[in-house]
Amino acid sequence: MAGFTVAAGVARGLLDYAVSRGVDQTELLGRAGLDLDVLDDPDARIGSETYVRLMRAGQALTADPALALHWAEDVNLARMSIVGLLGEASTTLLESFMQVRRYGRLVTDLDEADERFDMVPDPDGCVWSVDRRRDPNAFPELTETTFGFMVCGSRVAAPSTWLKAVHVTHPAPPYAAEYERVFGVPVTFDSHWNALKSDPAFLTTPVNVQPRYVFGVLSKHADALMQGLRSASTLRGRVENLILPILHTGEVGIDAVADGLGLSRQTLYRRLKAEDATFEQVLDALRHRLALDYLLGGRVSVNETAFLVGFSDAAAFSRAFKRWTGQTPREARQTARDA
């Protein structure tokens, strides 16, 4: 399954929903391998493996395999994410959809270059709202929550008759009947796309659940969050940015990096863990990536590369490089030249 990150506020919303269904919070956090304080900042990010464990543990503990669908039905996204608030402050449902398209990464960042959401006209005059994310069947619950929040959230402003059909690429689950109950329209499984078919007239339906003034305020904040997401979409990225200038010194420690981020050592450890990483893994992977860039570029010697990526001697670097690639640095460089 392709990696992604989820806003901590959304993960907290899932946690709270499961707890409201009778789940013990401590047990759920334990099964997910998640610390509660990681969720204090709603704009922080949670790694895909942690989020999937949280969802699957919630399903097991509630004995509800349709938990993702029911969560999206019962809880408005505006309670968990600025994206939901922007939707409620839009003038029309079309504008609301465009906010999802523009800022959707603040909810779930899939690390994909292509635009995730699209609108496609149908020959019968209807419109398809399409989720084009790659590898969707690896985690169908993400399709359930995405479409669930979009459809159920829109009912605040529009009658349910706007929706004409739902298509999903994954096979029908045992709880397939819940799809038609929640969405209120025919659902096609094993489809060629994940898409919602709608009457185009609904796109002009007024929303304005929130005052229009709020829209401008929220947009500015969302733009700032998007900028931060683009520059370092995860804490791991921010850690790498701090390590890069001092990597060559060989004195890269977690305490110094934590200080640079304004975090305690333990908080940094916990937040990296929520992104399915450790400080040592981040440092090792960064050295690996940079070593390949330096060596295969052909302009830096093995000894110079060892220094640049923070090793005190070439022998230690060669051992690490062989662990990373199965080859010595010189063998890797020769392989690249022969290719």
Side-chain angles (χ1 to χ4, degrees):
M1 177 173 59
F4 59 88
T5 65
V6 174
V10 174
R12 180 60 189 258
L14 174 56
L15 173 74
D16 291 345
Y17 181 66
V19 170
S20 76
R21 296 277 303 273
V23 171
D24 180 77
Q25 178 174 276
T26 301
E27 183 175 3
L28 179 54
L29 288 168
R31 290 199 186 190
L34 187 60
D35 290 290
L36 187 61
D37 60 0
V38 171
L39 305 179
D40 285 344
D41 178 2
D43 297 321
R45 311 301 299 181
I46 302 300
S48 58
E49 292 182 13
T50 300
Y51 183 70
V52 170
R53 286 197 302 268
L54 180 64
M55 178 67 75
R56 298 280 161 77
Q59 291 167 332
L61 292 170
T62 58
D64 181 9
L67 181 68
L69 201 60
H70 294 150
W71 173 40
E73 178 187 24
D74 293 341
V75 181
N76 194 317
L77 182 62
R79 292 174 54 183
M80 300 174 284
S81 169
I82 192 173
V83 179
L85 289 170
L86 276 165
E88 289 192 345
S90 299
T91 55
T92 65
L93 284 171
L94 174 59
E95 186 178 51
S96 178
F97 175 82
M98 297 309 292
Q99 301 318 307
V100 171
R101 187 179 185 188
R102 181 178 181 182
Y103 297 115
R105 288 183 59 195
L106 296 179
V107 178
T108 307
D109 184 16
L110 298 171
D111 193 24
E112 296 179 3
D114 298 334
E115 192 76 54
R116 177 179 174 185
F117 297 103
D118 201 2
M119 299 189 76
V120 178
D122 190 89
D124 67 4
C126 289
V127 177
W128 290 95
S129 301
V130 186
D131 181 352
R132 297 193 183 280
R133 82 179 194 277
R134 295 191 293 271
D135 197 23
N137 293 0
F139 187 47
E141 291 90 337
L142 191 53
T143 300
E144 293 175 347
T145 55
T146 299
F147 284 175
F149 286 134
M150 291 172 69
V151 172
C152 298
S154 72
R155 288 173 180 159
V156 175
S160 58
T161 54
W162 68 264
L163 187 64
K164 302 302 180 184
V166 175
H167 281 218
V168 293
T169 56
H170 55 268
Y175 52 90
E178 281 297 275
Y179 275 73
E180 295 203 1
R181 185 193 67 77
V182 170
F183 293 116
V185 296
V187 178
T188 299
F189 296 93
D190 291 309
S191 176
H192 68 286
W193 62 1
N194 289 299
L196 304 174
K197 185 178 182 179
S198 59
D199 181 342
F202 100 96
L203 297 175
T204 59
T205 301
V207 180
N208 295 128
V209 176
Q210 301 284 349
R212 187 60 180 175
Y213 167 78
V214 173
F215 184 86
V217 175
L218 293 172
S219 293
K220 289 180 180 179
H221 183 51
D223 284 335
L225 292 174
M226 285 291 288
Q227 181 60 39
L229 197 60
R230 281 189 288 266
S231 62
S233 61
T234 62
L235 180 63
R236 179 177 186 141
R238 293 167 62 197
V239 168
E240 288 183 346
N241 288 341
L242 282 174
I243 290 175
L244 277 169
I246 60 174
L247 185 60
H248 68 280
T249 68
E251 299 178 357
V252 181
I254 188 171
D255 291 323
V257 172
D259 286 343
L261 292 169
L263 303 173
S264 69
R265 175 193 180 106
Q266 194 61 24
T267 298
L268 176 58
Y269 169 81
R270 286 195 297 267
R271 291 191 178 180
L272 281 173
K273 181 183 175 186
E275 293 184 6
D276 311 308
T278 66
F279 179 79
E280 292 74 18
Q281 289 170 342
V282 174
L283 176 59
D284 194 58
L286 182 61
R287 282 174 161 168
H288 178 192
R289 188 169 74 245
L290 290 175
L292 288 173
D293 288 343
Y294 289 136
L295 279 176
L296 303 188
R299 297 181 180 180
V300 181
S301 70
V302 173
N303 285 344
E304 289 169 332
T305 299
F307 167 76
L308 288 171
V309 298
F311 284 86
S312 57
D313 64 84
F317 169 64
S318 293
R319 288 193 295 272
F321 194 89
K322 190 159 189 177
R323 171 171 57 82
W324 293 329
T325 67
Q327 295 181 301
T328 67
R330 289 180 174 81
E331 288 170 344
R333 174 170 278 177
Q334 188 60 51
T335 298
R337 287 171 177 167
D338 294 343

